[in-house]
């Protein structure tokens, strides 16, 4: 009842960066420090950008799978929505817990559902404010996207998540550095080749781009790869649309529960062999689960060209490196151009 939408940015739009809150979060990122320009790393075309979207490059702190074989880190993106309650009812019936990567704008619309998710001991994590491709945004805009989502979750639940998932899996080292500086660990989904990930593509049922039969085939393809893995896995699914929830509750989850040998289905933080309390800043055990504290790779001015990003969202100029000195000296060290998002299915 105390949640006032007027105190937050416009829903489903990239938040402005001139608000007092965003300016404070920018200072938070800058205060974590940085590192000198590293010409060797900058010249490394394989790792200097580490754009997961195109190359499948995974950062050292990215979570892309569960360590234990047959362990499934269950995740749903883009809620809360009208249909999240149907999914919650099913998960409650079968006694399964999940990680929900929630969009800040949806939290404003459905705060009671978020509270139900949290009180039912599901993990809550950040999925930005308006669901943009983060690599196309300026540093300050990325901070605003993550900061507002983090803030509204804290305002509704009283706890601050320490995990995030970039929309579309669109993350590079610049976005990673900002997320890390804000205490957020990126969670992706399992990739088995440059062109194949554990993505059901259930999001596209609603728009008619992917038939249900194809989603079920995607699930069967995932199943055919998991039993021979030496580690567990994470699958991309969504709870925004009715069709996605119906496929999850009517086929995918019942099929998974009947699987032999059985899966251990649990939230990401639990599949990483940590207690649920470690999913939030206020309850995290900082001794055994230390929070990220580095802004290495971020410069205050680093950003893709706004015109280029809006006209060609499949490519983005990425600027790296933050340099410290007396106070904080910020320089731009590298501009990289990466293309090929169309080659990857999200």
């Amino acid at each position: 009842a105390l949640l006032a939408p007027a105190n937050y940015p416009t829903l489903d739009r990239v938040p402005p960066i001139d608000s007092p809150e965003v300016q404070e979060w920018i200072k938070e990122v800058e205060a974590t420090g940085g590192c000198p320009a590293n010409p060797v790393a900058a010249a490394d075309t394989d790792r200097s950008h580490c754009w997961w979207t195109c190359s499948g490059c995974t950062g050292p702190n990215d979570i892309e799978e569960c360590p234990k074989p047959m362990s499934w880190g269950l995740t749903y993106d883009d809620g809360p929505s009208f249909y999240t309650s149907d999914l919650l009812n099913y998960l409650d019936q079968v006694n399964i817990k999940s990680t929900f990567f929630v969009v800040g704008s949806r939290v404003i619309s459905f705060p009671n559902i978020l509270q139900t998710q949290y009180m039912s001991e599901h993990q809550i994590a950040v999925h930005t404010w308006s669901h943009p491709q983060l690599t196309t945004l300026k540093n300050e805009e990325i901070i605003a996207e993550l900061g507002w989502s983090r803030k509204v979750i804290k305002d509704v639940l009283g706890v601050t998540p320490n995990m995030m998932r970039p929309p579309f899996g669109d993350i590079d080292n610049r976005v990673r550095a900002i997320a890390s500086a804000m205490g957020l660990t990126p969670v992706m989904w399992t990739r088995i080749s440059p062109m194949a990930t554990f993505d059901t593509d259930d999001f596209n049922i609603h728009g008619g781009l992917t038939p249900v039969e194809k989603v079920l085939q995607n699930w069967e393809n995932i199943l055919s790869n998991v039993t021979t893995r030496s580690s567990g896995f994470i699958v991309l699914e969504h709870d925004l649309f009715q069709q996605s929830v119906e496929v999850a509750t009517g086929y995918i989850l019942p099929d998974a529960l009947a699987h032999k040998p059985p899966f251990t289905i649990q939230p990401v933080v639990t599949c990483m062999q940590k207690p649920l309390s470690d999913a939030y800043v206020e309850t995290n055990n900082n001794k055994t689960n230390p929070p990220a504290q580095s802004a290495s790779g971020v410069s205050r001015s680093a950003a893709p060209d706004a015109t280029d990003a809006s006209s060609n969202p499949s490519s983005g100029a990425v600027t790296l490196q933050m340099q410290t000195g007396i106070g904080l000296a910020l320089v731009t060290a590298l501009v990289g151009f990466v293309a090929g998002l169309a080659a990857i299915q999200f």
Side-chain angles (χ1 to χ4, degrees):
L2 299 178
L3 195 64
N7 294 333
Y8 296 86
T10 302
L11 303 188
D12 300 314
R13 299 287 179 87
V14 176
I17 64 175
D18 57 354
S19 68
E21 292 88 349
V22 174
Q23 290 301 308
E24 184 63 30
W25 296 329
I26 290 172
K27 293 178 183 177
E28 172 189 345
V29 172
E30 293 180 341
T32 62
C35 65
N38 187 335
V40 175
D44 181 358
T45 57
D46 292 330
R47 300 296 303 182
S48 61
H49 294 100
C50 196
W51 198 356
W52 192 88
T53 321
C54 274
S55 65
C57 180
T58 303
N61 296 321
D62 292 1
I63 297 173
E64 196 178 58
E65 60 185 18
C66 303
K68 190 175 180 180
M70 299 300 292
S71 178
W72 177 7
L74 186 65
T75 69
Y76 294 94
D77 292 13
D78 295 357
S81 76
F82 286 109
Y83 310 104
T84 300
S85 294
D86 295 336
L87 177 59
L88 290 174
N89 290 337
Y90 179 85
L91 294 176
D92 185 56
Q93 291 172 16
V94 296
N95 194 28
I96 290 177
K97 306 302 180 184
S98 175
T99 297
F100 287 93
F101 292 96
V102 300
V103 175
S105 294
R106 301 286 163 271
V107 173
I108 288 287
S109 301
F110 301 99
N112 292 340
I113 293 179
L114 187 75
Q115 290 174 337
T116 300
Q117 292 171 297
Y118 176 71
M119 294 301 292
S120 299
E121 298 185 325
H122 298 285
Q123 180 186 359
I124 308 301
V126 168
H127 199 42
T128 71
W129 176 261
S130 68
H131 205 273
Q133 290 177 291
L134 289 177
T135 63
T136 68
L137 302 184
K138 298 177 181 178
N139 286 351
E140 293 86 351
E141 291 173 329
I142 297 170
I143 292 170
E145 282 283 343
L146 298 176
W148 279 113
S149 182
R150 186 181 63 174
K151 173 176 167 55
V152 72
I153 293 170
K154 170 68 180 300
D155 290 345
V156 172
L157 301 181
V159 293
T160 307
N162 56 22
M163 291 187 184
M164 61 84 72
R165 173 172 282 170
F168 313 102
D170 190 35
I171 193 169
D172 59 12
N173 280 341
R174 181 172 66 95
V175 177
R176 286 186 184 93
I178 292 172
S180 177
M182 299 183 76
L184 296 167
T185 298
V187 179
M188 312 307 289
W189 51 96
T190 299
R191 181 184 293 272
I192 57 175
S193 77
M195 297 295 293
T197 68
F198 282 7
D199 179 2
T200 63
D201 202 28
D202 63 336
F203 180 86
N204 286 316
I205 303 174
H206 177 79
L209 299 177
T210 303
V212 172
E213 293 78 10
K214 175 60 177 173
V215 172
L216 299 183
Q217 182 59 56
N218 291 339
W219 167 245
E220 293 300 324
N221 291 339
I222 291 170
L223 279 182
S224 68
N225 282 280
V226 297
T227 55
T228 58
R229 289 177 55 83
S230 61
S231 58
F233 60 99
I234 298 173
V235 179
L236 178 63
E237 297 181 84
H238 300 80
D239 63 319
L240 179 59
F241 299 124
Q242 181 179 6
Q243 296 92 332
S244 299
V245 170
E246 288 179 347
V247 167
T249 59
Y251 186 86
I252 292 178
L253 287 171
D255 192 46
L257 289 169
H259 189 272
K260 301 297 180 183
F263 295 118
T264 302
I265 307 174
Q266 50 197 174
V268 170
V269 65
T270 313
C271 94
M272 297 302 293
Q273 302 176 336
K274 298 177 182 179
L276 182 61
S277 57
D278 274 3
Y280 308 103
V281 172
E282 292 78 7
T283 57
N284 179 57
N285 185 336
N286 292 330
K287 292 182 178 179
T288 59
N289 187 43
Q293 290 293 333
S294 172
S296 173
V298 182
S299 81
R300 179 71 161 81
S301 60
D305 180 86
T307 303
D308 290 344
S310 61
S311 62
N312 183 13
S314 68
S315 65
V318 180
T319 311
L320 302 176
Q321 305 297 343
M322 172 183 277
Q323 186 167 349
T324 56
I326 299 175
L328 189 63
L330 303 170
V331 298
T332 300
L334 175 68
V335 174
F337 183 84
V338 184
L341 283 179
I344 296 294
Q345 294 294 322
F346 299 115

